[in-house]
Amino acid sequence: MNLCTREQMQEMDRQTIEEVGISGLVLMEIAGRSAASALHEHLITTYETPPLRAGIFCGSGNNGGDGYVIARHLDSLGYDVDVLMVARPESIEGDAWTNLEILRRLSPNIIILQDLLEDITVESLQDLLPPYEIYVDALLGTGLKGDVSGPCFHTIKYLNEALGFKFAVDIPSGLNANTGKTLGVSFKADLTCTLGMAKNGLFLQHGRQIAGKTLVADIGILPETENSVGIQGELLTRKSMETVCYPRARHSHKGMLGHLGVIAGSKTMPGAAVLATGGAVSSGVGLISVYTAADVQQPLIGRFPEAMLLPLLPDFGELSENQLIDLERFLEEKSTLVIGPGLGLEPMVSALVSSVLQTAHIPVVIDADGLTALAGDMSPLYETLCPVVLTPHPGEMARLTGVDATQGMEDPVQWALSLAQQYRCYVVLKCATTILASPDGRYAVNSTGNPGMATGGSGDVLSGLLGGLMASGVPPWDAARLAIYLHGIAGDLAAEKSGFRALRALDIMEQLSHALAEFE
């Protein structure tokens, strides 16, 4: 599923109207009819006795115009419709005004709230309005940038407290269409019908929870306009991943399926090496060799006898000349390298990362303590010949970019893209909704996963899985997309057994094989 920004959707609308010649009135009619149809289909397939009493709350802009069209079509389908105007008629213009005039000639009851209420508050709306079975939000749309205020603020509060089915037109009012941030208050929908193309904000930050189930309605935007605005966003879905997770050839042998190197673990954090190796084992890679500390050997070999171990890392201090030579030997004949999980903050970690980026010519996944070491000197990224994937959480991302995590998460897609493009690397930003950014401007937003995955070690599993997929021959962009998606599925499968609060990284690791099996 493609994703777009607010600005891209506005430009597609403009080109369709001004250059292609499809009028805005026609687009509004298609949009409203499609949204009404989506709502109707959902209700009749969800409820044994579908609800019919609908309140449609309309603002002053085109989102309100969509609401007037929806009211007309729901009325023709037999619904008992009230249209609640949270704007005076004289403030409505253009295509929205035309549809209001059409609606006035038909049967739906139109209520101008300002004519009946001296002050619109949650309490006054509760006193004035009857209960509805369906509440339709057509208040603000995607153009909103600042915080919700005035009558719309109180109306959204009222809608969120009301009991009934909640339906949002295009985007829940109060949700930033680009970032998924709540702008003061957001309508909490059970179903959102987004128009033309899905917007980033529906799947980022608060959007995933606020939008509910999301459907995309075709409103007649032509592919030519999509191409002209440079759509680069993607929502990771099962359908898109089926083209990446291709079946293994029957004549395969381990020598054909790559050799992954993992540099991970330390005396105080042996579990990180175990989890990263576990993620790699589940990827289907042919061979795995782990370069680690002596104290990691026993827990690792006890759990994964498949892995080949080189307990060569010192517990502290810096790397000797001989150890750097050992590192170069370790990198020989490897297909991909994962470096960082559980290495600690010793000076040798910076030397390891720097040496790898200077001497290797294979894809490298840098995670955890490897990222902390890299943040001290980013210059090796400019000079390396390795395809690099960075997998930071927001705190690590802040160290890499010098941007405060709170500020960066205001627009996580742009935050990830800026790092990817500056250093010509791939960036997997691990937040509530994981984001992948490519140096060529592409980005992907995950649709799987749950809050229980916010637990120590989850990222180690992901880095191992990602490294294993790349080592087995999947290109970095596709490997990262697939790893993110499968990691989320594994987390969802684990949550079905343990719930969110008790979910452990080990549970995610153990479900990876089941996640992959879904594609075979």
Side-chain angles (χ1 to χ4, degrees):
M1 180 189 294
N2 288 339
L3 296 176
C4 71
T5 64
R6 172 200 306 117
E7 293 76 16
Q8 287 172 324
M9 193 68 241
Q10 290 171 344
E11 178 59 16
M12 284 187 281
D13 281 339
R14 186 199 67 77
Q15 289 185 22
T16 301
I17 294 167
E18 297 180 10
E19 298 177 17
V20 178
I22 300 175
S23 74
L25 195 61
V26 169
L27 289 180
M28 187 173 287
E29 177 66 25
I30 297 172
R33 183 180 62 199
S34 297
S37 176
L39 174 60
H40 177 64
E41 289 296 323
H42 180 85
L43 294 174
I44 63 175
T45 56
T46 302
Y47 295 92
E48 186 174 343
T49 304
L52 294 174
R53 182 85 170 105
I56 302 178
F57 291 75
C58 298
S60 60
N62 283 342
N63 198 235
D66 296 332
Y68 302 140
V69 178
I70 290 168
R72 178 158 41 87
H73 285 283
L74 289 182
D75 179 68
S76 70
L77 289 168
Y79 288 80
D80 182 9
V81 177
D82 282 351
V83 175
L84 298 307
M85 294 182 60
V86 191
R88 294 193 178 279
E90 56 268 26
S91 69
I92 298 169
E93 301 175 342
D95 299 327
W97 170 259
T98 301
N99 275 299
L100 176 59
E101 285 295 288
I102 294 171
L103 191 66
R104 281 172 160 165
R105 302 186 185 104
L106 302 174
S107 56
N109 184 33
I110 299 175
I111 300 170
I112 303 169
L113 293 175
Q114 282 92 336
D115 286 350
L116 301 177
L117 295 172
E118 184 176 338
D119 188 20
I120 292 179
T121 65
V122 174
E123 292 75 18
S124 65
L125 289 169
Q126 289 171 338
D127 290 340
L128 173 69
L129 298 177
Y132 297 102
E133 296 173 298
I134 307 161
Y135 292 86
V136 177
D137 162 31
L139 289 169
L140 296 172
T142 62
L144 184 69
K145 295 180 181 178
D147 283 357
V148 181
S149 60
C152 283
F153 178 89
H154 299 289
T155 302
I156 293 171
K157 287 267 192 180
Y158 156 79
L159 290 171
N160 287 342
E161 291 185 16
L163 300 178
F165 185 83
K166 312 290 180 64
F167 179 68
V169 181
D170 203 13
I171 196 166
S173 291
L175 188 69
N176 186 300
N178 286 352
T179 69
K181 179 185 176 184
T182 290
L183 299 172
V185 63
S186 293
F187 176 74
K188 297 176 183 177
D190 297 303
L191 176 68
T192 296
C193 182
T194 193
L195 306 174
M197 187 176 292
K199 287 76 183 175
N200 289 346
L202 291 168
F203 305 98
L204 296 170
Q205 302 195 83
H206 304 127
R208 282 181 72 179
Q209 182 174 356
I210 286 172
K213 180 181 179 181
T214 300
L215 305 174
V216 181
D218 182 2
I219 62 170
I221 300 295
L222 300 178
E224 291 82 357
T225 63
E226 293 182 20
N227 296 335
S228 70
V229 301
I231 298 299
Q232 302 243 57
E234 174 194 6
L235 180 70
L236 299 180
T237 63
R238 181 180 182 85
K239 184 176 180 180
S240 61
M241 291 302 95
E242 284 175 349
T243 64
V244 179
C245 193
Y246 41 82
R248 178 175 291 187
R250 292 189 64 84
H251 64 278
S252 299
H253 57 79
K254 65 183 180 183
M256 296 173 57
L257 298 170
H259 189 168
L260 176 66
V262 177
I263 303 178
S266 60
K267 184 176 182 178
T268 57
M269 289 181 284
V274 173
L275 292 167
T277 302
V281 167
S282 298
S283 71
V285 67
L287 298 166
I288 303 169
S289 293
V290 185
Y291 189 93
T292 188
D295 289 303
V296 180
Q297 185 173 11
Q298 194 56 46
L300 190 54
I301 202 67
R303 180 82 193 200
F304 298 109
E306 310 95 316
M308 296 174 281
L309 303 187
L310 288 84
L312 300 172
L313 280 179
D315 290 331
F316 56 85
E318 299 184 0
L319 292 177
S320 67
E321 187 99 13
N322 286 337
Q323 287 165 333
L324 286 171
I325 294 172
D326 289 338
L327 175 63
E328 290 185 26
R329 289 174 179 162
F330 175 75
L331 294 174
E332 292 176 358
E333 299 182 359
K334 301 299 185 297
S335 309
T336 296
L337 179 73
V338 173
I339 182 170
L343 288 177
L345 302 178
E346 290 293 322
M348 65 169 178
V349 180
S350 295
L352 280 168
V353 173
S354 179
S355 181
V356 164
L357 292 176
Q358 288 172 13
T359 61
H361 295 80
I362 57 175
V364 176
V365 178
I366 306 178
D367 186 31
D369 295 326
L371 295 170
T372 300
L374 184 63
D377 179 11
M378 301 285 282
S379 63
L381 288 177
Y382 285 123
E383 302 161 4
T384 186
L385 298 177
C386 304
V388 175
V389 184
L390 308 178
T391 60
H393 57 58
E396 292 161 342
M397 187 74 171
R399 291 192 285 274
L400 292 170
T401 61
V403 175
D404 179 76
T406 301
Q407 180 183 346
M409 288 302 294
E410 289 286 316
D411 192 343
V413 169
Q414 288 305 315
W415 197 24
L417 280 171
S418 66
L419 180 61
Q421 292 174 325
Q422 181 177 357
Y423 292 102
R424 303 186 304 277
C425 61
Y426 298 91
V427 175
V428 176
L429 178 55
K430 300 177 295 190
C431 42
T433 300
T434 298
I435 297 162
L436 169 64
S438 167
D440 63 9
R442 288 177 294 173
Y443 63 92
V445 176
N446 195 23
S447 65
T448 60
N450 60 76
M453 298 177 71
T455 185
S458 176
D460 301 328
V461 176
L462 175 61
S463 65
L465 173 63
L466 171 53
L469 290 170
M470 281 200 293
S472 62
V474 184
W477 170 255
D478 288 341
R481 291 160 69 215
L482 184 56
I484 291 165
Y485 186 79
L486 291 172
H487 186 250
I489 288 182
D492 291 339
L493 291 172
E496 290 176 7
K497 294 187 174 184
S498 64
F500 294 157
R501 292 186 184 276
L503 192 64
R504 300 184 303 161
L506 197 62
D507 300 328
I508 300 170
M509 183 188 77
E510 291 174 344
Q511 291 298 326
L512 282 176
S513 59
H514 299 291
L516 268 163
E518 292 187 10
F519 289 87
E520 294 183 353

mmCIF file of all heavy atoms in Angstrom, residues 440-471:
data_model
loop_
_atom_site.group_PDB
_atom_site.id
_atom_site.type_symbol
_atom_site.label_atom_id
_atom_site.label_comp_id
_atom_site.label_asym_id
_atom_site.label_seq_id
_atom_site.Cartn_x
_atom_site.Cartn_y
_atom_site.Cartn_z
ATOM 1 N N ASP A 440 17.887 6.754 -1.070
ATOM 2 C CA ASP A 440 17.295 7.299 -2.292
ATOM 3 C C ASP A 440 15.936 7.949 -2.053
ATOM 4 O O ASP A 440 15.245 8.334 -2.992
ATOM 5 C CB ASP A 440 17.180 6.220 -3.374
ATOM 6 C CG ASP A 440 16.244 5.074 -2.980
ATOM 7 O OD1 ASP A 440 15.548 5.179 -1.944
ATOM 8 O OD2 ASP A 440 16.219 4.054 -3.698
ATOM 9 N N GLY A 441 15.544 8.088 -0.782
ATOM 10 C CA GLY A 441 14.310 8.787 -0.442
ATOM 11 C C GLY A 441 13.109 7.896 -0.207
ATOM 12 O O GLY A 441 12.058 8.376 0.241
ATOM 13 N N ARG A 442 13.231 6.606 -0.472
ATOM 14 C CA ARG A 442 12.123 5.700 -0.180
ATOM 15 C C ARG A 442 11.990 5.507 1.331
ATOM 16 O O ARG A 442 12.983 5.572 2.065
ATOM 17 C CB ARG A 442 12.349 4.344 -0.840
ATOM 18 C CG ARG A 442 12.182 4.319 -2.344
ATOM 19 C CD ARG A 442 12.491 2.942 -2.899
ATOM 20 N NE ARG A 442 13.901 2.589 -2.733
ATOM 21 C CZ ARG A 442 14.408 1.395 -3.004
ATOM 22 N NH1 ARG A 442 13.614 0.416 -3.406
ATOM 23 N NH2 ARG A 442 15.703 1.158 -2.836
ATOM 24 N N TYR A 443 10.772 5.244 1.783
ATOM 25 C CA TYR A 443 10.566 4.892 3.182
ATOM 26 C C TYR A 443 9.424 3.897 3.296
ATOM 27 O O TYR A 443 8.558 3.819 2.424
ATOM 28 C CB TYR A 443 10.294 6.136 4.045
ATOM 29 C CG TYR A 443 9.028 6.893 3.691
ATOM 30 C CD1 TYR A 443 7.824 6.620 4.323
ATOM 31 C CD2 TYR A 443 9.057 7.902 2.731
ATOM 32 C CE1 TYR A 443 6.677 7.323 4.009
ATOM 33 C CE2 TYR A 443 7.913 8.609 2.400
ATOM 34 C CZ TYR A 443 6.722 8.316 3.040
ATOM 35 O OH TYR A 443 5.577 9.015 2.712
ATOM 36 N N ALA A 444 9.470 3.099 4.348
ATOM 37 C CA ALA A 444 8.441 2.093 4.596
ATOM 38 C C ALA A 444 8.036 2.154 6.063
ATOM 39 O O ALA A 444 8.881 2.367 6.940
ATOM 40 C CB ALA A 444 8.957 0.701 4.241
ATOM 41 N N VAL A 445 6.762 1.973 6.307
ATOM 42 C CA VAL A 445 6.195 2.010 7.657
ATOM 43 C C VAL A 445 5.596 0.641 7.939
ATOM 44 O O VAL A 445 4.839 0.105 7.112
ATOM 45 C CB VAL A 445 5.115 3.108 7.768
ATOM 46 C CG1 VAL A 445 4.449 3.081 9.142
ATOM 47 C CG2 VAL A 445 5.731 4.487 7.502
ATOM 48 N N ASN A 446 5.921 0.065 9.080
ATOM 49 C CA ASN A 446 5.452 -1.286 9.378
ATOM 50 C C ASN A 446 4.000 -1.289 9.840
ATOM 51 O O ASN A 446 3.516 -0.331 10.444
ATOM 52 C CB ASN A 446 6.335 -1.926 10.456
ATOM 53 C CG ASN A 446 6.135 -3.426 10.533
ATOM 54 O OD1 ASN A 446 5.702 -4.052 9.569
ATOM 55 N ND2 ASN A 446 6.441 -4.018 11.671
ATOM 56 N N SER A 447 3.322 -2.402 9.562
ATOM 57 C CA SER A 447 1.928 -2.548 9.996
ATOM 58 C C SER A 447 1.763 -3.648 11.035
ATOM 59 O O SER A 447 0.642 -3.899 11.486
ATOM 60 C CB SER A 447 1.036 -2.868 8.785
ATOM 61 O OG SER A 447 1.380 -4.132 8.223
ATOM 62 N N THR A 448 2.864 -4.325 11.409
ATOM 63 C CA THR A 448 2.772 -5.403 12.388
ATOM 64 C C THR A 448 3.455 -4.983 13.686
ATOM 65 O O THR A 448 4.168 -3.990 13.740
ATOM 66 C CB THR A 448 3.425 -6.686 11.856
ATOM 67 O OG1 THR A 448 4.824 -6.431 11.583
ATOM 68 C CG2 THR A 448 2.753 -7.157 10.584
ATOM 69 N N GLY A 449 3.263 -5.779 14.731
ATOM 70 C CA GLY A 449 3.900 -5.481 16.010
ATOM 71 C C GLY A 449 2.923 -4.929 17.018
ATOM 72 O O GLY A 449 1.779 -4.584 16.703
ATOM 73 N N ASN A 450 3.375 -4.828 18.270
ATOM 74 C CA ASN A 450 2.498 -4.432 19.365
ATOM 75 C C ASN A 450 3.313 -3.817 20.497
ATOM 76 O O ASN A 450 4.552 -3.917 20.515
ATOM 77 C CB ASN A 450 1.725 -5.663 19.857
ATOM 78 C CG ASN A 450 2.659 -6.748 20.363
ATOM 79 O OD1 ASN A 450 3.202 -6.659 21.457
ATOM 80 N ND2 ASN A 450 2.872 -7.784 19.539
ATOM 81 N N PRO A 451 2.661 -3.191 21.490
ATOM 82 C CA PRO A 451 3.391 -2.507 22.561
ATOM 83 C C PRO A 451 4.252 -3.430 23.417
ATOM 84 O O PRO A 451 5.211 -2.986 24.040
ATOM 85 C CB PRO A 451 2.272 -1.876 23.409
ATOM 86 C CG PRO A 451 1.093 -1.793 22.505
ATOM 87 C CD PRO A 451 1.209 -2.954 21.573
ATOM 88 N N GLY A 452 3.923 -4.724 23.464
ATOM 89 C CA GLY A 452 4.715 -5.656 24.259
ATOM 90 C C GLY A 452 6.136 -5.815 23.759
ATOM 91 O O GLY A 452 7.020 -6.259 24.504
ATOM 92 N N MET A 453 6.384 -5.436 22.514
ATOM 93 C CA MET A 453 7.715 -5.580 21.929
ATOM 94 C C MET A 453 8.685 -4.507 22.418
ATOM 95 O O MET A 453 9.875 -4.550 22.084
ATOM 96 C CB MET A 453 7.614 -5.570 20.399
ATOM 97 C CG MET A 453 6.794 -6.728 19.859
ATOM 98 S SD MET A 453 6.579 -6.687 18.068
ATOM 99 C CE MET A 453 8.250 -7.106 17.530
ATOM 100 N N ALA A 454 8.184 -3.561 23.174
ATOM 101 C CA ALA A 454 9.045 -2.543 23.773
ATOM 102 C C ALA A 454 9.727 -3.144 24.999
ATOM 103 O O ALA A 454 9.409 -2.825 26.152
ATOM 104 C CB ALA A 454 8.220 -1.311 24.157
ATOM 105 N N THR A 455 10.658 -4.050 24.748
ATOM 106 C CA THR A 455 11.337 -4.773 25.823
ATOM 107 C C THR A 455 12.782 -5.029 25.428
ATOM 108 O O THR A 455 13.104 -5.147 24.237
ATOM 109 C CB THR A 455 10.609 -6.105 26.104
ATOM 110 O OG1 THR A 455 11.191 -6.746 27.228
ATOM 111 C CG2 THR A 455 10.672 -7.053 24.911
ATOM 112 N N GLY A 456 13.653 -5.082 26.420
ATOM 113 C CA GLY A 456 15.069 -5.260 26.169
ATOM 114 C C GLY A 456 15.365 -6.522 25.380
ATOM 115 O O GLY A 456 14.844 -7.596 25.691
ATOM 116 N N GLY A 457 16.225 -6.409 24.366
ATOM 117 C CA GLY A 457 16.615 -7.552 23.561
ATOM 118 C C GLY A 457 15.825 -7.739 22.291
ATOM 119 O O GLY A 457 16.252 -8.472 21.387
ATOM 120 N N SER A 458 14.676 -7.070 22.184
ATOM 121 C CA SER A 458 13.863 -7.203 20.975
ATOM 122 C C SER A 458 14.646 -6.752 19.745
ATOM 123 O O SER A 458 14.592 -7.388 18.682
ATOM 124 C CB SER A 458 12.579 -6.377 21.123
ATOM 125 O OG SER A 458 11.810 -6.393 19.949
ATOM 126 N N GLY A 459 15.387 -5.659 19.876
ATOM 127 C CA GLY A 459 16.174 -5.157 18.759
ATOM 128 C C GLY A 459 17.325 -6.075 18.376
ATOM 129 O O GLY A 459 17.719 -6.136 17.202
ATOM 130 N N ASP A 460 17.890 -6.806 19.354
ATOM 131 C CA ASP A 460 18.948 -7.769 19.050
ATOM 132 C C ASP A 460 18.428 -8.873 18.137
ATOM 133 O O ASP A 460 19.102 -9.302 17.190
ATOM 134 C CB ASP A 460 19.496 -8.386 20.338
ATOM 135 C CG ASP A 460 20.066 -7.349 21.287
ATOM 136 O OD1 ASP A 460 20.585 -6.330 20.804
ATOM 137 O OD2 ASP A 460 19.994 -7.566 22.513
ATOM 138 N N VAL A 461 17.219 -9.338 18.426
ATOM 139 C CA VAL A 461 16.598 -10.355 17.579
ATOM 140 C C VAL A 461 16.422 -9.830 16.159
ATOM 141 O O VAL A 461 16.719 -10.514 15.172
ATOM 142 C CB VAL A 461 15.238 -10.790 18.168
ATOM 143 C CG1 VAL A 461 14.541 -11.784 17.238
ATOM 144 C CG2 VAL A 461 15.413 -11.397 19.556
ATOM 145 N N LEU A 462 15.956 -8.581 16.051
ATOM 146 C CA LEU A 462 15.741 -7.981 14.734
ATOM 147 C C LEU A 462 17.041 -7.855 13.956
ATOM 148 O O LEU A 462 17.084 -8.168 12.756
ATOM 149 C CB LEU A 462 15.088 -6.607 14.892
ATOM 150 C CG LEU A 462 14.904 -5.796 13.602
ATOM 151 C CD1 LEU A 462 14.006 -6.529 12.623
ATOM 152 C CD2 LEU A 462 14.347 -4.409 13.921
ATOM 153 N N SER A 463 18.116 -7.416 14.603
ATOM 154 C CA SER A 463 19.378 -7.241 13.879
ATOM 155 C C SER A 463 19.902 -8.575 13.360
ATOM 156 O O SER A 463 20.419 -8.662 12.240
ATOM 157 C CB SER A 463 20.418 -6.550 14.772
ATOM 158 O OG SER A 463 20.771 -7.357 15.877
ATOM 159 N N GLY A 464 19.773 -9.633 14.159
ATOM 160 C CA GLY A 464 20.195 -10.952 13.697
ATOM 161 C C GLY A 464 19.371 -11.445 12.530
ATOM 162 O O GLY A 464 19.904 -11.994 11.555
ATOM 163 N N LEU A 465 18.061 -11.264 12.614
ATOM 164 C CA LEU A 465 17.172 -11.663 11.525
ATOM 165 C C LEU A 465 17.510 -10.900 10.251
ATOM 166 O O LEU A 465 17.618 -11.495 9.163
ATOM 167 C CB LEU A 465 15.719 -11.412 11.930
ATOM 168 C CG LEU A 465 14.650 -11.626 10.856
ATOM 169 C CD1 LEU A 465 14.608 -13.083 10.408
ATOM 170 C CD2 LEU A 465 13.281 -11.175 11.369
ATOM 171 N N LEU A 466 17.689 -9.591 10.372
ATOM 172 C CA LEU A 466 18.010 -8.756 9.218
ATOM 173 C C LEU A 466 19.337 -9.171 8.588
ATOM 174 O O LEU A 466 19.451 -9.320 7.361
ATOM 175 C CB LEU A 466 18.046 -7.292 9.661
ATOM 176 C CG LEU A 466 18.572 -6.245 8.688
ATOM 177 C CD1 LEU A 466 17.853 -6.317 7.348
ATOM 178 C CD2 LEU A 466 18.436 -4.852 9.295
ATOM 179 N N GLY A 467 20.356 -9.375 9.421
ATOM 180 C CA GLY A 467 21.646 -9.799 8.903
ATOM 181 C C GLY A 467 21.572 -11.141 8.200
ATOM 182 O O GLY A 467 22.171 -11.340 7.134
ATOM 183 N N GLY A 468 20.816 -12.065 8.765
ATOM 184 C CA GLY A 468 20.685 -13.380 8.160
ATOM 185 C C GLY A 468 19.995 -13.334 6.809
ATOM 186 O O GLY A 468 20.390 -14.037 5.871
ATOM 187 N N LEU A 469 18.955 -12.516 6.690
ATOM 188 C CA LEU A 469 18.260 -12.392 5.408
ATOM 189 C C LEU A 469 19.179 -11.807 4.337
ATOM 190 O O LEU A 469 19.199 -12.272 3.189
ATOM 191 C CB LEU A 469 17.007 -11.522 5.575
ATOM 192 C CG LEU A 469 15.863 -12.136 6.390
ATOM 193 C CD1 LEU A 469 14.798 -11.099 6.687
ATOM 194 C CD2 LEU A 469 15.247 -13.321 5.649
ATOM 195 N N MET A 470 19.949 -10.789 4.718
ATOM 196 C CA MET A 470 20.878 -10.203 3.741
ATOM 197 C C MET A 470 21.965 -11.198 3.360
ATOM 198 O O MET A 470 22.337 -11.311 2.189
ATOM 199 C CB MET A 470 21.507 -8.922 4.299
ATOM 200 C CG MET A 470 20.595 -7.727 4.218
ATOM 201 S SD MET A 470 21.493 -6.157 4.309
ATOM 202 C CE MET A 470 22.096 -6.205 5.973
ATOM 203 N N ALA A 471 22.482 -11.923 4.340
ATOM 204 C CA ALA A 471 23.537 -12.897 4.049
ATOM 205 C C ALA A 471 23.055 -13.988 3.107
ATOM 206 O O ALA A 471 23.825 -14.518 2.300
ATOM 207 C CB ALA A 471 24.046 -13.514 5.352
#
